[in-house]
Amino acid sequence: MNKTLFIILTLLVFSCKNKDNGKEQKIFDRIDFVYNLKQTVAKKTWATFNEKEYDLPLVYFTDTSSYIANPTEKFLKTFKSGLVFQNQLIKIYKTNSRVDSLPFHMETGMTLGDPTDDYNYHSPFMMCSSYEETSKTIPNVLSTEEWTTMIMHEYFHGYQYKHKPYIDYYEKEIVQIQPDSLTAIYKNNTWFKNSIDKENELLLNAITETDSIKIANIIKDFFTLRIQRRKTVLEKMKFDISKYEKCYETMEGTARYIEYSLYKLYAAKRPDYKLLKSDTSFKSFEKFRNYNITKDKWLYKTAKTTYSYAVGFNMARLLDKLKIEYKSRLFKEGKITMEDILLEKQNGR
């Protein structure tokens, strides 16, 4: 009897260990998938995205634990952690206690301002909740691959912040006014909203137009309308909105552009069989087969999203259409924006 009981208990312990190992393997495979995805995005969409100097650690939160991929030395000195997985791309540590108590993360975070001992002072970290925790907060995220598009959007913000000229400009000139301030103006002033919506429609018209002369005229109308709106803002609100709007359209528009690039990549991507084996939430990109952007109006319509995201996203697509090089200049040249580059083209420079 005792021998039988011992065998049963041993089997139960072994089974629990296997379940725990399976949960951790899923975490490792997901993080590995993200890092491999960065390489693909760099090859297909944004050449310098995966360069080492622009990389940043990823903190993965479950409801009880934190895992950190490729941490900084300062992080490891701040949080007691043990190495739990490594391969050629990543080293993953598990912290002895959760990095913080916030229930949900999906952001790139860092501390700015006066120098502090914070582990992330002027050092961006990608922070993401697990798919399981994310789907509780955002129920329409239905698969691991959808979850990774959100991560890649935020990861691109980290890439932006890793450019010293850009983060210096952002900290000195921009951070005091957050996008919510611009959104409030959009929501509370019909004349402002109408102009923004029209400006965005002009960008969309330019994207679909094939005649080069008509495109040039559409872009001219875009700038005329935009200049007048900003002049009105200055007169009515005593607030020069220009540099903030241009910065956030570039910041958020390019991050959305990266996110959208994954939708197109996923449409033709083969299943990841390693992830498929460990992660039942991975659906082999089924949602993205035959993807058509018209199904996701929130990507490009100002009335369906935060306006700076949509306008910036459409500006990036227009620059692509016009074959204007912008990716090698943004963030490296500090304050330069997509609008600046488009205006250079319009002015014949």
Side-chain angles (χ1 to χ4, degrees):
M1 179 68 180
N2 289 340
K3 186 176 180 181
T4 303
L5 182 61
F6 174 76
I7 291 171
I8 291 171
L9 287 172
T10 301
L11 288 171
L12 284 171
V13 170
F14 183 73
S15 175
C16 288
K17 282 186 176 179
N18 277 345
K19 286 180 180 178
D20 288 341
N21 290 341
K23 286 180 181 178
E24 286 212 316
Q25 188 59 52
K26 177 171 64 177
I27 292 167
F28 305 153
D29 289 346
R30 282 175 175 172
I31 295 173
D32 188 47
F33 180 75
V34 167
Y35 273 80
N36 278 289
L37 204 54
K38 279 183 64 194
Q39 293 182 328
T40 303
V41 172
K43 288 177 184 176
K44 301 284 188 180
T45 306
W46 203 288
T48 56
F49 182 39
N50 198 47
E51 289 187 3
K52 190 172 182 180
E53 64 183 304
Y54 305 125
D55 194 25
L56 59 149
L58 183 150
V59 185
Y60 178 108
F61 292 85
T62 69
D63 56 344
T64 58
S65 307
S66 301
Y67 296 81
I68 172 80
N70 295 348
T72 60
E73 288 185 16
K74 192 172 184 180
F75 180 94
L76 292 176
K77 288 178 181 177
T78 305
F79 299 97
K80 288 185 178 180
S81 310
L83 182 66
V84 290
F85 176 86
Q86 66 177 324
N87 62 20
Q88 291 181 334
L89 274 181
I90 50 176
K91 286 185 176 181
I92 300 176
Y93 292 75
K94 184 177 182 180
T95 57
N96 288 8
S97 57
R98 209 169 183 270
V99 169
D100 63 42
S101 59
L102 294 175
F104 179 69
H105 282 282
M106 189 58 73
E107 77 279 351
T108 291
M110 65 176 167
T111 303
L112 297 175
D114 295 332
T116 71
D117 291 329
D118 292 349
Y119 72 91
N120 64 349
Y121 177 72
H122 273 224
S123 179
F125 279 67
M126 170 58 213
M127 320 280 275
C128 69
S129 291
S130 67
Y131 166 73
E132 288 74 18
E133 295 306 303
T134 299
S135 62
K136 291 175 187 176
T137 305
I138 312 172
N140 62 348
V141 177
L142 300 175
S143 66
T144 298
E145 52 267 42
E146 287 184 72
W147 170 78
T148 60
T149 66
M150 299 169 65
I151 290 175
M152 212 54 61
H153 176 116
E154 295 301 331
Y155 227 123
F156 195 75
H157 286 317
Y159 164 85
Q160 296 165 351
Y161 301 153
K162 292 285 278 190
H163 289 76
K164 191 175 187 308
Y166 180 74
I167 197 61
D168 286 350
Y169 169 70
Y170 176 71
E171 183 175 23
K172 183 180 178 182
E173 299 284 342
I174 301 296
V175 72
Q176 298 83 1
I177 302 294
Q178 286 294 295
D180 289 351
S181 299
L182 308 187
T183 302
I185 297 173
Y186 176 85
K187 289 182 176 179
N188 296 324
N189 296 274
T190 303
W191 58 269
F192 185 97
K193 180 183 184 303
N194 289 343
S195 182
I196 285 286
D197 292 349
K198 179 60 178 174
E199 290 164 40
N200 192 58
E201 286 301 318
L202 288 168
L203 289 175
L204 291 172
N205 291 343
I207 289 169
T208 56
E209 181 57 63
T210 57
D211 184 281
S212 59
I213 295 175
K214 289 182 180 179
I215 292 171
N217 287 332
I218 292 170
I219 295 172
K220 181 180 178 182
D221 291 343
F222 166 80
F223 278 112
T224 299
L225 196 58
R226 175 157 277 219
I227 290 166
Q228 182 56 53
R229 173 180 55 81
R230 287 175 177 167
K231 183 180 178 182
T232 304
V233 172
L234 186 59
E235 290 171 352
K236 288 189 173 187
M237 302 180 183
K238 311 303 179 189
F239 174 40
D240 188 350
I241 200 173
S242 302
K243 68 179 181 181
Y244 305 105
E245 196 168 70
K246 292 194 294 182
C247 181
Y248 287 123
E249 285 171 351
T250 295
M251 177 189 290
E252 296 297 350
T254 53
R256 177 161 290 184
Y257 175 87
I258 293 296
E259 188 175 358
Y260 168 66
S261 76
L262 287 180
Y263 299 169
K264 295 189 294 180
L265 286 169
Y266 284 172
K269 192 171 177 61
R270 293 181 178 181
D272 185 293
Y273 291 105
K274 184 174 71 170
L275 189 58
L276 195 60
K277 187 176 179 180
S278 64
D279 185 0
T280 57
S281 299
F282 178 62
K283 305 301 181 185
S284 300
F285 314 112
E286 290 174 4
K287 177 180 176 178
F288 299 95
R289 304 302 177 200
N290 303 311
Y291 178 76
N292 190 320
I293 191 174
T294 57
K295 295 179 181 178
D296 289 327
K297 289 183 171 55
W298 61 271
L299 283 170
Y300 59 91
K301 287 284 192 179
T302 46
K304 300 288 185 180
T305 186
T306 303
Y307 84 81
S308 57
Y309 288 57
V311 172
F313 172 61
N314 292 328
M315 212 172 287
R317 294 199 294 151
L318 178 56
L319 290 169
D320 281 349
K321 176 191 173 73
L322 298 175
K323 295 181 169 55
I324 298 172
E325 175 51 44
Y326 64 101
K327 295 174 184 177
S328 62
R329 298 181 63 188
L330 293 180
F331 318 120
K332 289 181 181 178
E333 295 183 27
K335 69 179 184 178
I336 197 164
T337 66
M338 290 190 290
E339 182 179 324
D340 297 327
I341 294 170
L342 184 61
L343 186 59
E344 287 177 0
K345 172 68 174 178
Q346 186 71 4
N347 292 337
R349 283 186 278 164

